[in-house]
Amino acid sequence: MTEPGTAETQDLPAIAERGAAAAPAASRRTSLLVTLVLGGLTAVPPLSMDMYLPALPQVTAALHSPAATVQLTLTTCLAGMALGQMIVGPMSDKWGRRRPLLAGMVIYILATALCAIATSAELLIAFRLLQGLAGAAGIVIARAVVRDLYDGVAMARFFSTLMLISGVAPVVAPLIGGQILRLTDWRGVFVVLTAVGVALTLLVWRKLDETLPPARRHSGGLGQTLRTMRDLLADRVFSGYVLVGAFAFAALFAYISASPFVIQEIYSASPQTFSLLFGINSVGLVAVGQINGKLLVGRVGLDKVLGTGLALTALAATSLLLMSAGVFGPVGLVPMAAGLFVLMASMGLVMPSTNTLALLRTPHAAGSASALLGTSTFLLGSVASPLVGIAGERTAVPMALVQLSCAVLALVSFLGMCRPWQRRGESNGSTAGERTRL
């Protein structure tokens, strides 16, 4: 267990499962509010990415730019979120969670508003980079707050609960984006995102208390931050989970980046049909995440759950590559959509398990560990994005090939570095993992 916090922290209940039953009603209400706020913060990436996806072909035409250039607006936003986490994560270990979070959200609002008035692809790419840098604060600090408050099985279940909340964003975001395009052009998508950023910032300001007490903050400067990062990366098992999560997300982001063109250009679907399919796939991710949190966590070891999710990812990517390459002859939209559904749903097993298993090893530097998790994830995702467009817009083979490569690398990292069979006492998500230090 982490150390007890300040009075504000102690008002945020269920710091561990064993105290949940005795928590007063007021504490349980506070916990629900914190859950909603953290879910909103983790929804920043899918809101920023997915609401914009149906507009990609329209942006290509409006700004007179090739598809590969417009896809860079996704890549730079993702790269910004990666770099921003490396900055904000250590800051939150030094100054607490609340102040860096609020500053990042204010800058996110300004950057998103600038995206709405961009007059060229180059300006849009630059503003999306700034948007990603600022939006990183919500992602990295949300994970650090979870580590401040929860441990072991309770933390794994909380991450699954967050997936239920944040998973609503990728379900509704493309649907909203598709409907916005029926009323206005792609600029209206960023106007709506600006309004969402304002609402979320106000909610954070009023409802999220500080969770890292001064006694547990780091007082060192850049040198200590770099030493902390070095020590974290020196832990082979932690680094293994970092790579597993990064490669798995790269496979997912290859789908996110390529699917607007695959579904709408290759299979001639409308933006509304694409949004519907994307929403169905997101429902699959959320549903599997809830099965994981409600039925599997505490009964099945987290490493076993993670291994199963990675195997499903590799299986789905293999089937997508075979279909895209024409091994089964011409295939329609339904078989491809089914393969994409399995790939995305498997992330409901992979993502909560990876975050929990990695953060269990780092209770003393949750912000920095969260930054490494997020940065590696978004950096590899930003690499995957342009790769899927190398062969143009008329084939899904690059998308499937990138997905399969990333799935195989995630499995290799899991088996070669994490080696769960050597750590049976930790893999059940119990507080034994808390005792694993760097």
Side-chain angles (χ1 to χ4, degrees):
M1 283 291 295
T2 55
E3 299 174 17
T6 61
E8 294 93 349
T9 303
Q10 291 171 348
D11 281 340
L12 306 176
I15 292 177
E17 273 191 334
R18 55 179 175 268
S27 290
R28 286 194 294 271
R29 286 195 297 271
T30 303
S31 180
L32 176 61
L33 289 174
V34 171
T35 301
L36 293 173
V37 172
L38 295 177
L41 293 174
T42 57
V44 169
L47 285 175
S48 300
M49 298 288 182
D50 301 345
M51 193 181 295
Y52 172 65
L53 289 178
L56 282 178
Q58 189 181 109
V59 175
T60 300
L63 298 181
H64 308 290
S65 299
T69 300
V70 173
Q71 282 178 328
L72 286 176
T73 63
L74 292 175
T75 303
T76 53
C77 184
L78 201 63
M81 288 181 180
L83 178 61
Q85 290 183 72
M86 291 296 290
I87 298 171
V88 178
M91 286 174 58
S92 73
D93 282 338
K94 182 176 181 179
W95 293 317
R97 314 300 186 200
R98 185 174 162 83
R99 285 186 292 171
L101 175 58
L102 286 171
M105 292 306 297
V106 169
I107 298 173
Y108 173 85
I109 293 169
L110 296 175
T112 307
L114 289 173
C115 289
I117 60 175
T119 56
S120 68
E122 291 74 20
L123 282 176
L124 183 59
I125 289 170
F127 295 150
R128 288 282 281 176
L129 175 63
L130 180 61
Q131 184 189 40
L133 286 167
I139 315 164
V140 67
I141 292 179
R143 276 195 303 262
V145 168
V146 173
R147 189 61 187 97
D148 292 340
L149 300 177
Y150 292 91
D151 183 34
V153 170
M155 180 164 56
R157 288 178 175 161
F158 194 85
F159 274 125
S160 292
T161 300
L162 280 188
M163 183 166 289
L164 173 62
I165 299 170
S166 62
V168 172
V171 173
V172 303
L175 298 174
I176 294 174
Q179 296 307 310
I180 291 173
L181 294 179
R182 300 184 69 172
L183 301 175
T184 182
D185 62 7
W186 61 273
R187 299 181 189 276
V189 174
F190 288 108
V191 173
V192 173
L193 282 172
T194 302
V196 170
V198 171
L200 183 57
T201 302
L202 291 175
L203 188 61
V204 168
W205 178 52
R206 298 194 60 181
K207 300 300 182 182
L208 185 63
D209 295 324
E210 181 60 63
T211 61
L212 186 67
R216 291 175 50 211
R217 298 177 189 176
H218 296 176
S219 57
L222 177 62
Q224 180 173 336
T225 297
L226 294 176
R227 286 191 295 272
T228 299
M229 295 286 189
R230 179 199 62 194
D231 291 341
L232 289 170
L233 292 174
D235 180 3
R236 170 181 53 79
V237 178
F238 173 79
S239 295
Y241 287 125
V242 168
L243 289 176
V244 169
F247 284 122
F249 183 80
L252 177 62
F253 197 74
Y255 156 70
I256 293 174
S257 180
S259 60
F261 298 99
V262 171
I263 302 300
Q264 296 181 77
E265 301 295 334
I266 298 177
Y267 292 97
S268 303
S270 67
Q272 290 71 38
T273 298
F274 163 73
S275 299
L276 178 61
L277 290 175
F278 196 93
I280 291 172
N281 290 344
S282 299
V283 168
L285 186 151
V286 172
V288 172
Q290 294 317 293
I291 292 172
N292 179 35
K294 303 299 183 182
L295 300 179
L296 300 182
V297 171
R299 296 179 177 88
V300 181
L302 291 178
D303 279 308
K304 292 181 180 179
V305 173
L306 177 56
T308 301
L310 292 174
L312 287 173
T313 303
L315 179 63
T318 301
S319 66
L320 287 168
L321 181 58
L322 293 175
M323 287 188 289
S324 300
V327 173
F328 305 121
V331 296
L333 178 58
V334 173
M336 287 293 295
L340 293 171
F341 176 86
V342 174
L343 185 139
M344 195 162 182
S346 66
M347 297 298 160
L349 300 177
V350 173
M351 292 162 62
S353 302
T354 302
N355 288 334
T356 301
L357 287 164
L359 291 175
L360 275 173
R361 304 182 68 84
T362 59
H364 55 291
S368 296
S370 178
L372 287 172
L373 277 168
T375 296
S376 60
T377 295
F378 282 84
L379 278 178
L380 282 181
S382 66
V383 171
S385 178
L387 291 178
V388 301
I390 286 178
E393 306 169 25
R394 299 300 175 186
T395 175
V397 169
M399 177 192 74
L401 186 60
V402 170
Q403 289 169 334
L404 181 57
S405 300
C406 291
V408 170
L409 289 171
L411 275 170
V412 170
S413 300
F414 178 62
L415 297 175
M417 299 179 68
C418 302
R419 302 175 189 174
W421 58 87
Q422 296 179 352
R423 301 173 295 103
R424 296 185 186 277
E426 298 172 40
S427 61
N428 61 0
S430 68
T431 56
E434 174 88 28
R435 296 191 293 271
T436 305
R437 303 290 180 174
L438 298 178

